[in-house]
Amino acid sequence: MTKTSFYGKFICFVVFLSLLIGFTACEGEQEKVDVAENGKAELTQETKAQRDERMAWWRDARFGMFIHWGLYAIPAGEWEGETKHAEWILTTAQIPVKEYEKFAPQFNPIKFDPAAWVSMAKDAGMKYIVITSKHHDGFSLFDSELTDYDVMDATPFKRDIMKELAEECRKQDIKMCWYHSIMDWHHPDYLPRRKWEDRSSEGADLDRYVEHMKGQVKELVTNYGKIGVLWFDGEWENTWTADYGEDVYKFVRSLQPDIIINNRVSVGREGMAGTFDPATSAGDFGTPEQEIPATGLGYDWETCMTMNDHWGYNKNDDNWKSTQDLIQKLVDIASKGGNFLLNVGPTAEGLFPQPSIDRLEAIGKWMKLNSESIYGTTASLFKSLAWGRCTVKPGKLYLHVFDWPADGKLHVPGLQSQAESVYLLSDPDAQLATDYTEEEAVISLPGTQPDPIDTVVVLEFTSEPEVVN
Ligand code: GLC
């Protein structure tokens, strides 16, 4: 090799190297921008693309089952003649811990059938189950090495309920998720105390409690395979801090990097509306409780709701929402880009209450025909639709008709694009005649509404449809 060609090559190599370094630096910049747009970057430790990937199954699912089960199923909402209690009974009836503990040796839900539970969720069209591994009463429904106040040591049942459910969920392809309460009315180190409590606070040390709780959470995310969501709750007491929240968030993600964690891990939640600022507070999604936001939130969210008026089993609560109401709520939520976590409170024997079973079956029937208009959809393009809701998939609009127009004309305000195909989801072969003006599209529907709860009309487009509101 001549000297000149050696220098030539050397210079080329140096130029190439600096370009490479420059390029990777730019990539780094790009990454930073992504991460900064993506909530608390130092917490999530991921780009927007990585986050989208982590959240994908959950966004796709749209519908899950909440299960509130524990010792409180035994009193079934009743204490000294008062019948309005449920999972809060220890506090709402002011039961001393020693007294409440007596439920544990009575907990023997011999009719618990994990296969049946998971099938009921699955047949209803639900894609994940979030169950109380420990509620505020501090009792663990799983085999915990860190306490004797659990199903294995304190009850005659001695079956790891979480293990059986997790295995069954895996079999039936449903995501297993845990609800785990931060607030703990049993653990001696938890603070604060309620005024009426007999539990002494002497020597109590919240830091030590947090270590205990992290230990339990570690059991929950290492002993039961892959977990979809960790759903924290009870973060509102004044002892819990953003630092604790961030620490727990990081800890859980370090054990299962793909897991999804709700915003109640930290202190940023704004009451029952469940909203928060994902850019400043830990958590992957908002948690509206017993309510549906008026519009989408601009970030991931999930409304949790009871079928009657209690989370835990209350034998006297007959105020059940109708199937129509529940299906329309699911659709309403999907049309705003959220998820619906619908609760069941099983009995002390281990059974779902019959009214819950009936509703799950009826929702399942509707989902069998219509789930395409729920799973994997995104929020409506319309500001409001007088007769119902809209969900969206690439190139498709699903119009959910709750109120069938008397004259058979469905007015779709502001639709600017012409669909290449318009049909009922329940009858894809029959095209529906559609007229377009500048202001709206008008679809001619059949005379009677095939499904009085919600009939879905599908519009297919060759490119993304445009709507002016
Ligand atoms: C509340 C209650 C609780 C229930 C939860 C469900 O925060 O404290 O009992 O588990 O909501 O979202």
Side-chain angles (χ1 to χ4, degrees):
M1 187 187 304
T2 63
K3 246 187 180 174
T4 32
S5 74
F6 169 78
Y7 280 123
K9 277 191 178 142
F10 179 68
I11 285 165
C12 277
F13 176 65
V14 170
V15 169
F16 170 71
L17 208 69
S18 38
L19 276 176
L20 192 75
I21 292 167
F23 184 67
T24 22
C26 284
E27 281 240 291
E29 280 298 316
Q30 185 60 39
E31 296 268 281
K32 245 193 237 151
V33 172
D34 263 3
V35 172
E37 278 173 359
N38 181 35
K40 276 209 109 176
E42 68 277 21
L43 268 177
T44 59
Q45 291 291 322
E46 62 196 353
T47 62
K48 185 174 179 304
Q50 287 166 332
R51 180 190 170 81
D52 287 346
E53 202 182 314
R54 180 164 62 90
M55 298 299 293
W57 75 263
W58 186 90
R59 290 176 184 159
D60 201 74
R62 288 285 170 254
F63 193 25
M65 177 182 279
F66 218 172
I67 301 180
H68 277 71
W69 203 32
L71 299 181
Y72 42 80
I74 295 168
E78 193 165 337
W79 191 256
E80 293 174 347
E82 259 311 336
T83 59
K84 60 172 197 296
H85 309 287
E87 77 288 350
W88 270 72
I89 192 165
L90 185 150
T91 281
T92 51
Q94 303 196 352
I95 305 174
V97 170
K98 288 282 160 252
E99 185 81 16
Y100 189 87
E101 280 175 348
K102 291 181 188 156
F103 289 132
Q106 299 170 48
F107 189 73
N108 197 18
I110 45 171
K111 295 192 177 155
F112 168 60
D113 177 353
W117 282 21
V118 176
S119 302
M120 283 190 275
K122 187 161 174 125
D123 293 345
M126 293 157 158
K127 297 278 197 180
Y128 58 109
I129 295 177
V130 184
I131 183 166
T132 47
S133 45
K134 182 196 80 168
H135 203 265
H136 309 329
D137 65 358
F139 178 78
S140 298
L141 267 78
F142 64 104
D143 184 7
S144 175
E145 291 294 308
L146 303 173
T147 180
D148 288 339
Y149 199 46
D150 70 351
V151 68
M152 303 306 275
D153 297 313
T155 80
F157 195 52
K158 296 196 191 309
R159 278 163 58 184
D160 187 340
I161 293 167
M162 304 293 107
K163 183 155 183 267
E164 293 185 23
L165 274 173
E167 278 166 7
E168 197 52 48
C169 278
R170 208 151 301 125
K171 262 193 222 156
Q172 298 199 36
D173 194 25
I174 288 238
K175 299 266 186 203
M176 182 84 270
C177 312
W178 311 130
Y179 164 111
H180 203 76
S181 176
I182 293 169
M183 178 161 74
D184 192 309
W185 301 328
H186 185 269
H187 197 279
D189 276 325
Y190 181 78
L191 289 167
R193 296 282 186 272
R194 271 121 278 279
K195 276 199 194 81
W196 54 268
E197 264 192 276
D198 59 342
R199 187 172 47 153
S200 154
S201 59
E202 221 183 282
D205 178 345
L206 188 68
D207 282 339
R208 208 159 50 204
Y209 168 75
V210 176
E211 282 317 301
H212 162 81
M213 190 190 96
K214 283 168 73 178
Q216 281 212 315
V217 164
K218 184 172 180 185
E219 294 180 322
L220 286 165
V221 296
T222 50
N223 297 345
Y224 301 92
K226 230 174 163 186
I227 298 305
V229 176
L230 241 177
W231 214 104
F232 288 99
D233 192 28
E235 84 292 5
W236 56 82
E237 297 211 289
N238 58 14
T239 45
W240 197 246
T241 63
D243 285 348
Y244 281 137
E246 294 190 5
D247 176 51
V248 171
Y249 180 95
K250 279 191 201 151
F251 178 68
V252 177
R253 293 270 324 274
S254 75
L255 297 168
Q256 280 207 25
D258 292 340
I259 207 164
I260 296 170
I261 301 171
N262 71 342
N263 66 346
R264 299 189 187 187
V265 69
S266 191
V267 294
R269 171 171 66 117
E270 288 135 350
M272 299 291 266
T275 46
F276 76 127
D277 179 359
T280 58
S281 185
D284 298 318
F285 63 93
T287 51
E289 178 172 328
Q290 302 286 35
E291 57 184 75
I292 302 172
T295 61
L297 298 180
Y299 50 85
D300 294 299
W301 59 277
E302 174 198 66
T303 280
C304 57
M305 200 175 274
T306 50
M307 284 198 208
N308 55 2
D309 291 331
H310 294 87
W311 298 99
Y313 179 58
N314 178 308
K315 64 181 176 209
N316 293 294
D317 181 354
D318 268 325
N319 194 25
W320 298 93
K321 295 177 185 70
S322 68
T323 300
Q324 163 161 337
D325 191 13
L326 292 171
I327 291 174
Q328 292 186 351
K329 282 186 157 81
L330 169 64
V331 173
D332 183 26
I333 289 166
S335 80
K336 294 166 181 169
N339 280 15
F340 192 27
L341 188 64
L342 183 59
N343 184 69
V344 175
T347 68
E349 285 186 293
L351 297 173
F352 283 8
Q354 192 58 43
S356 299
I357 297 177
D358 296 343
R359 280 153 185 78
L360 291 170
E361 278 175 4
I363 296 170
K365 248 191 184 165
W366 184 86
M367 283 293 272
K368 286 228 158 62
L369 289 173
N370 298 292
S371 64
E372 181 195 320
S373 67
I374 300 292
Y375 300 143
T377 58
T378 50
S380 174
L381 303 179
F382 302 91
K383 216 167 178 185
S384 82
L385 293 167
W387 38 257
R389 298 289 182 274
C390 167
T391 52
V392 180
K393 268 187 191 168
K396 277 187 185 177
L397 295 181
Y398 297 96
L399 305 180
H400 298 259
V401 188
F402 297 168
D403 300 316
W404 204 249
D407 63 357
K409 301 285 179 213
L410 188 72
H411 294 262
V412 188
L415 183 61
Q416 303 294 294
S417 318
Q418 298 214 0
E420 65 157 0
S421 178
V422 182
Y423 55 90
L424 297 183
L425 190 51
S426 55
D427 186 9
D429 294 330
Q431 283 291 315
L432 303 176
T434 307
D435 295 318
Y436 297 88
T437 66
E438 256 173 45
E439 285 80 43
E440 60 172 6
V442 183
I443 303 170
S444 298
L445 299 174
T448 50
Q449 180 171 17
D451 186 332
I453 292 179
D454 173 14
T455 301
V456 181
V457 180
V458 188
L459 277 66
E460 285 185 21
F461 301 85
T462 47
S463 57
E464 289 318 307
E466 252 179 69
V467 170
V468 288
N469 280 298

